[in-house]
């Protein structure tokens, strides 16, 4: 049985030709030495322009080019967090945030959102968990794993809370901002509110299938950028100049790179939706953005596989799918969505189609002693 892997966070697309051509040319022309820690002026300008052309006020001095979005987040955690500070994260959320915090000073505080309310982040519930120690509120928009997009109205209601917490910054992780389907995307940078405490992190890994190039950026107020440049120059120096050239070329040819990928993702999203609809007792949020479904498989926990093994947890269920059906998905418990699994539709079409058939077969084969 062929392995069907829906677990990767990287899409299967090839990185843009513009990136590959620009990087190769830059290496050949000798751009192989240290560059400015903050990033090349041309790339910072191009990143700022992608916001200003949407009417968002961002200057190149507010941009720091980083070796991936993850490093932008780690940089911010390193410069902004002190002992005892709290980092508030609505869950389900990408498990990478917990991992980053292992190496930072902050303490994680989660706030549960649920599929029953379409993963709505209730502002009153959020207020309940905020304290004087809350330092970062970390949103992912569009969210990984749910694909939920926050509306402008929701973002502004959240931002309004910052007025009552003068030490609190909002970090909006917008790494999937161009992978959107059904709802308009709003950057936190374009919202009314205390913009002097709004930070956006973003990158090229997801929108442009460039996860291996390790390049991302943050957009932040000038004082945060200054501290973050110092952190970067003290620890990492700066992103390779030829990688920055590739990122610049990608921005300059972004429509060419993005349009064909988005077309495929739109179709794949429909295929996965249909596949999930065909399985009894499975519910899910239809993602507005990113490239995952996060179906609720709780019904199937408490069952027995055909060989008599009990399936008593999400982990057991993922093990059953992997070891008996060669179908790999990510255990949703890791994201804070017990009984859910994350499935990527940014995979080759034949893998996706086979996977949906296999998931249904696998779930229909389990038996229940108690359920009727
Ligand atoms: N943020 C989110 C929400 C992600 O899903 C990921 C990758 N899985 C990252 C950040 C890290 O991205 P990068 O490759 O740019 O470090």
């Amino acid at each position: 049985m062929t392995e069907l892997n829906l677990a990767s966070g990287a899409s299967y697309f090839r990185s843009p030709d513009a990136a590959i051509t620009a990087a190769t040319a830059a290496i050949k022309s000798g751009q192989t030495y240290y560059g400015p820690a903050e990033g090349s002026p041309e790339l910072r300008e191009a990143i700022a322009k992608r916001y200003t052309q949407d009417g968002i006020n961002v200057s190149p001095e507010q941009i720091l080019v980083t070796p991936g979005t993850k490093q932008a987040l780690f940089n911010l955690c390193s410069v902004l967090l002190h002992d005892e500070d709290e980092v508030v994260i609505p869950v389900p959320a990408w498990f990478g945030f917990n991992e980053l915090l292992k190496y930072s000073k902050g303490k994680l505080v989660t706030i549960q959102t649920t599929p029953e309310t379409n993963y709505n982040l209730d502002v009153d519930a959020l207020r309940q968990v905020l304290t004087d120690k809350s330092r970062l509120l970390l949103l992912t928009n569009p969210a990984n794993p749910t694909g939920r997009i926050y509306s402008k109205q929701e973002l502004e209601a959240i931002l309004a809370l910052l007025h009552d917490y003068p030490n609190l910054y909002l970090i909006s992780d917008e790494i999937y901002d161009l992978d959107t389907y059904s709802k308009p995307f709003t950057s936190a940078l374009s919202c009314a509110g205390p913009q002097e405490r709004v930070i956006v992190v973003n990158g090229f890994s997801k929108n442009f299938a460039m996860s291996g190039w390790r390049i991302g950026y943050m957009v932040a107020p000038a004082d945060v950028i200054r501290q973050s440049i110092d952190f970067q120059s003290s620890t990492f120096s700066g992103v390779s100049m030829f990688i920055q050239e590739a990122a610049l070329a990608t921005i300059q040819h972004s429509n060419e790179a993005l349009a064909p990928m988005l077309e495929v993702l739109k179709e794949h999203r429909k295929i996965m939706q249909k596949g999930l609809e065909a399985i009894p007792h499975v519910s899910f949020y239809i993602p507005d953005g990113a490239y995952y479904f996060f179906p609720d498989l709780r019904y199937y926990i408490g069952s027995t596989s055909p060989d008599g093994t009990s399936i008593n947890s999400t982990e057991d269920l993922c093990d059953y799918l992997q070891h008996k059906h060669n179908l790999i998905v990510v255990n949703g418990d890791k994201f804070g969505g017990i009984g859910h699994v994350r499935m990527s539709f940014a995979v080759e079409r034949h893998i996706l189609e086979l996977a949906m058939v296999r998931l249904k077969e696998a779930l229909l084969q389990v038996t229940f002693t108690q359920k009727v």
Side-chain angles (χ1 to χ4, degrees), residues 27-67:
I27 292 176
K28 285 192 178 146
S29 72
Q31 293 201 53
T32 53
Y33 303 99
Y34 293 130
E38 63 274 17
S40 77
E42 294 79 10
L43 180 57
R44 292 173 91 199
E45 193 150 317
I47 293 169
K49 199 167 142 212
R50 72 145 287 209
Y51 291 101
T52 52
Q53 73 195 8
D54 290 338
I56 304 173
N57 195 7
V58 170
S59 72
E61 292 69 41
Q62 283 177 266
I63 312 283
L64 171 63
V65 179
T66 57

Side-chain angles (χ1 to χ4, degrees), residues 9 67-71 73 94 97 140 142-144 173 175-176 201-206 210-211 214-216 292 342:
T69 310
K70 209 182 217 180
Q71 193 67 20
L73 288 163
W94 178 48
F97 298 137
T140 308
N144 168 12
D173 181 337
I175 191 168
Y176 295 94
V201 294
N202 205 330
F204 294 78
S205 296
K206 313 292 176 172
M210 292 175 67
S211 56
R214 308 312 304 135
I215 182 156
Y292 312 104
R342 191 190 76 174

Side-chain angles (χ1 to χ4, degrees), residues 6 267-277 284 291-295 343-347 352 355-356:
L6 307 185
E267 269 182 43
H268 284 199
R269 174 172 165 269
K270 275 194 215 139
I271 294 171
M272 190 168 269
Q273 181 183 342
K274 279 211 177 115
L276 288 171
E277 280 166 357
F284 54 89
Y291 41 66
Y292 312 104
F293 275 79
F294 195 57
M343 301 166 52
S344 167
F345 53 88
V347 296
L352 175 62
M356 298 321 293

Side-chain angles (χ1 to χ4, degrees), residues 2 79 148 150 189 318:
T2 32
V79 303
R148 170 74 148 77
Y150 291 92
L189 296 169
C318 292

